[in-house]
Amino acid sequence: MIRRYVQVLAIASLTILALASCNKEIETKKAVSVTFHGYNISNMNMEVSVDTVLFDKDVLPENKRISFSKVYPYFGDKKEAILRVKDPASGKELLQKTLPLSTSQLEFFFPLININGSLLDVTPPGANPATNKLGFYIYYPESNDPIDILMYNPNTGQQVYLAQNVIPQTWVYTDYLPAEGFMNKNEVESSTIYFLKAGTTDEWAFKNNETLSKTGAFGWYIPYKKYNLNKVQPYFVQPHPQGWEAEGVQLFPIPKEY
């Protein structure tokens, strides 16, 4: 009887130790998120990996918008991880970034525009507490003619320029403050953004086609009165390859406070 009791006690002790070990493992495990916004203008798929973790079920498809967000789990004593984006067919590495894991940073964001195997440089200016910085890169190889970007409120008829004289395939950054007719979120998100030949209000920028040259402002996160100042927001714009409304990709983290 005593021997059986000792055996039971020993088994119970081992079970408790095993559970404690598991709990310790859970406590030391952490996670960060990795997010890409952008566009893959190429005939290659792209694979994302962090160290030895390959997100092979979430390949970035050819000629499509990029919207990628994944969680990378790691143990607390790990100091850094290597993020890679590559073309699996050729093995060509397009992007490599070191993620520091010894800080309090939990979210990593990267803009990613692949144009036929070359990544577009996205280097926005610093924030300005007195204004907002909106940046535009218009991908339209068919023309170098300058383009105006106009936001129009159909409910009031008011309009405001987001940028003027934007040359395709070049970055332009402008200062922007909320204007009358675009002071609240509803006014902004119900508006339309038009791409016009510079200096005109009725000549469409993309193939002289209205549909290709406009898009809704919803999802652009344009600043308004309560979301204002110190914002830096670059955008990648192109006429839709399938002939739908123009595409605008936000090359910045989605603002939680919008």
Side-chain angles (χ1 to χ4, degrees):
M1 184 70 177
I2 294 176
R3 184 179 178 182
R4 178 175 175 77
Y5 174 77
V6 171
Q7 288 176 336
V8 171
L9 181 62
I11 292 171
S13 298
L14 289 172
T15 302
I16 291 170
L17 287 173
L19 288 172
S21 176
C22 289
N23 287 336
K24 183 179 179 181
E25 182 175 301
I26 292 171
E27 288 171 0
T28 58
K29 202 155 192 180
K30 300 181 179 181
V32 294
S33 70
V34 177
T35 300
F36 291 107
H37 291 169
Y39 213 98
N40 181 13
I41 302 176
S42 75
N43 293 323
M44 69 173 71
N45 295 318
M46 296 188 292
E47 283 185 343
V48 180
S49 64
V50 181
D51 286 344
T52 60
V53 178
L54 174 63
F55 300 100
D56 55 343
K57 294 183 179 179
D58 297 277
V59 172
L60 309 180
E62 61 186 62
N63 294 303
K64 290 285 181 68
R65 175 191 291 260
I66 294 171
S67 184
F68 176 96
S69 187
K70 289 294 173 183
V71 171
Y72 170 68
Y74 66 97
F75 290 100
D77 57 351
K78 190 174 180 64
K79 302 302 182 185
E80 64 182 30
I82 304 299
L83 169 70
R84 293 182 174 88
V85 179
K86 73 174 186 178
D87 171 16
S90 67
K92 178 182 178 181
E93 190 170 271
L94 299 170
L95 177 72
Q96 182 181 125
K97 296 285 186 180
T98 299
L99 308 181
L101 302 176
S102 56
T103 67
S104 59
Q105 186 173 358
L106 298 176
E107 298 178 348
F108 294 92
F109 173 85
F110 302 97
L112 183 61
I113 302 291
N114 174 30
I115 302 176
N116 298 318
S118 297
L119 295 188
L120 177 65
D121 180 40
V122 184
T123 308
N128 185 334
T131 189
N132 304 290
K133 297 285 186 179
L134 303 184
F136 299 94
Y137 185 96
I138 296 178
Y139 182 70
Y140 189 52
E142 297 179 28
S143 173
N144 290 322
D145 293 340
I147 294 171
D148 291 344
I149 304 174
L150 181 75
M151 186 163 63
Y152 172 74
N153 183 336
N155 298 315
T156 64
Q158 290 168 300
Q159 58 189 39
V160 62
Y161 284 101
L162 301 180
Q164 292 179 275
N165 295 308
V166 180
I167 305 297
Q169 286 74 247
T170 61
W171 275 108
V172 170
Y173 281 88
T174 63
D175 292 337
Y176 177 80
L177 291 172
E180 192 66 33
F182 306 93
M183 297 298 288
N184 65 60
K185 182 177 178 179
N186 289 334
E187 288 176 332
V188 170
E189 293 192 328
S190 62
S191 295
T192 301
I193 297 174
Y194 290 104
F195 302 91
L196 304 162
K197 292 182 180 180
T200 75
T201 57
D202 58 357
E203 294 185 36
W204 311 114
F206 302 139
K207 299 183 179 181
N208 201 28
N209 182 287
E210 180 179 357
T211 299
L212 285 173
S213 304
K214 70 176 182 180
T215 188
F218 183 87
W220 277 61
Y221 304 99
I222 301 296
Y224 60 96
K225 187 175 181 180
K226 292 186 179 179
Y227 174 79
N228 189 26
L229 304 180
N230 223 33
K231 314 301 180 188
V232 180
Q233 300 186 172
Y235 300 85
F236 176 84
V237 178
Q238 68 169 351
H240 198 285
Q242 276 73 52
W244 304 332
E245 290 189 351
E247 288 191 294
V249 180
Q250 301 76 28
L251 302 181
F252 53 91
I254 300 302
K256 297 180 176 65
E257 70 275 24
Y258 194 83

